[in-house]
Amino acid sequence: MFVKRYQDAKPYEAANHREVKGLRLQGFEKGGPTNQWVGMSHFLPGGGAGPDSTPFEKVYIVIEGEMTVIVNGQETVLKKFDSCTIPANEVREIVNRTNHVCVMMVVIPYPPGYQHE
């Protein structure tokens, strides 16, 4: 078992994100998961990401607040404990349209070619 305490989570910058602070909870470390990593993002009001896509799927889980997910012009509001899967290469945009911080977890496979320690 590999335990990582929240106090030891390191911040990371995600491309094409705005008004957000991300913490890597698991992944990219010796003894951690071998096929994916887990992040927690704190999106300020008005914060978000995209529109863009990645060559791998990802899972979003809202822990606090609300997040609007936009795919093909269709908007879906995720609320506390709602989740969604974004397939590989699907263009999406996410926007926190509330006046509260949205805390969201993301589970993403390692990038192609990444060699786990």
Side-chain angles (χ1 to χ4, degrees):
M1 179 171 73
F2 177 77
V3 175
K4 184 172 182 183
R5 304 290 179 199
Y6 184 75
Q7 68 194 25
D8 297 327
K10 302 288 186 224
Y12 69 94
E13 296 289 327
N16 202 20
H17 283 56
R18 57 197 173 279
E19 299 297 321
V20 62
K21 295 296 180 186
L23 292 172
R24 184 165 290 116
L25 301 181
Q26 286 278 336
F28 297 101
E29 62 223 332
K30 188 173 182 171
T34 59
N35 58 356
Q36 80 276 325
W37 64 276
V38 179
M40 178 180 283
S41 299
H42 296 79
F43 290 90
L44 294 176
D52 59 12
S53 66
T54 58
F56 36 82
E57 72 178 11
K58 54 189 153 242
V59 175
Y60 294 142
I61 306 147
V62 173
I63 304 302
E64 290 290 336
E66 296 182 4
M67 183 62 71
T68 301
V69 182
I70 306 161
V71 175
N72 295 324
Q74 183 175 6
E75 297 188 7
T76 302
V77 177
L78 300 179
K79 297 183 179 190
K80 187 173 185 174
F81 301 133
D82 289 346
S83 62
C84 71
T85 299
I86 305 292
N89 301 311
E90 183 170 80
V91 176
R92 65 81 184 105
E93 182 175 10
I94 57 175
V95 182
N96 178 2
R97 292 188 173 149
T98 74
N99 288 332
H100 302 280
V101 172
C102 176
V103 180
M104 192 166 73
M105 293 183 69
V106 61
V107 181
I108 303 177
Y110 288 123
Y114 175 75
Q115 296 295 314
H116 189 269
E117 295 181 19

